[in-house]
Amino acid sequence: MSDECYVDTSAFIAFLDGSDSFHSLFQRLFADPPRLITSPLVIAEGHGWFLRRYDAPRALQFLRFIEALATLQIMAVGPEEIRAGEKFLRKFMDQRITLTDAVGLLIMEKRRHKICWSSDAHLGLTGARLVIHSS
């Protein structure tokens, strides 16, 4: 599992939105991606971002990209993961992390991911190296 990378909403946004400051980095990374793991919360967050920032067609484009990304596995998230995510929210109460981020931290910890595709510093709270710091 160590060759998998967890991918956060910010990585998808940076890749698909040319105005993002990390766009060129994520263009390179998504050109030849390793196995990627994410959660349905990330997908929902990304869809909502494109819907609010742009419009419904662009939000649907985002979903089509996710569906076509052959190396991406979307991990199931149920009540157990939500409760465990709440523990991360309590642990990092001094940070403004979302439940989506907390569940991401949980997934990375469970699967022992060492690298996270994200531009969100919160995703490095448990020791995963953010790809933006290794480029």
Side-chain angles (χ1 to χ4, degrees):
M1 287 185 233
S2 61
D3 58 339
E4 295 175 337
C5 295
Y6 181 80
V7 61
D8 179 49
T9 314
S10 63
F12 290 127
I13 290 169
F15 175 66
L16 295 168
D17 184 356
S19 69
D20 190 281
S21 57
F22 293 104
H23 178 69
S24 61
L25 167 65
F26 287 104
Q27 269 191 311
R28 286 193 311 275
L29 292 172
F30 277 105
D32 187 24
R35 286 188 311 212
L36 299 171
I37 303 292
T38 198
S39 81
L41 299 175
V42 165
I43 306 307
E45 190 174 69
H47 175 266
W49 188 91
F50 281 100
L51 184 62
R52 286 186 306 277
R53 174 85 186 255
Y54 294 102
D55 54 23
R58 188 77 184 262
L60 289 171
Q61 239 178 355
F62 167 75
L63 293 178
R64 283 194 301 275
F65 167 74
I66 296 299
E67 193 174 297
L69 189 56
T71 63
L72 181 66
Q73 180 182 1
I74 302 170
M75 303 299 297
V77 172
E80 182 180 320
E81 290 79 17
I82 298 297
R83 280 191 298 278
E86 288 176 27
K87 290 179 185 174
F88 280 97
L89 292 174
R90 283 191 290 283
K91 180 178 181 179
F92 298 112
M93 281 183 65
D94 61 324
Q95 306 285 321
R96 291 181 54 100
I97 65 171
T98 65
L99 181 59
T100 299
D101 292 344
V103 170
L105 292 169
L106 170 72
I107 291 170
M108 285 189 286
E109 186 175 87
K110 275 185 166 181
R111 296 180 70 93
R112 298 188 180 114
H113 287 113
K114 295 184 179 12
I115 300 176
C116 178
W117 286 19
S118 180
S119 61
D120 182 347
H122 295 121
L123 275 290
L125 285 171
T126 57
R129 185 169 41 94
L130 299 181
V131 73
I132 60 169
H133 296 152
S134 57
S135 300

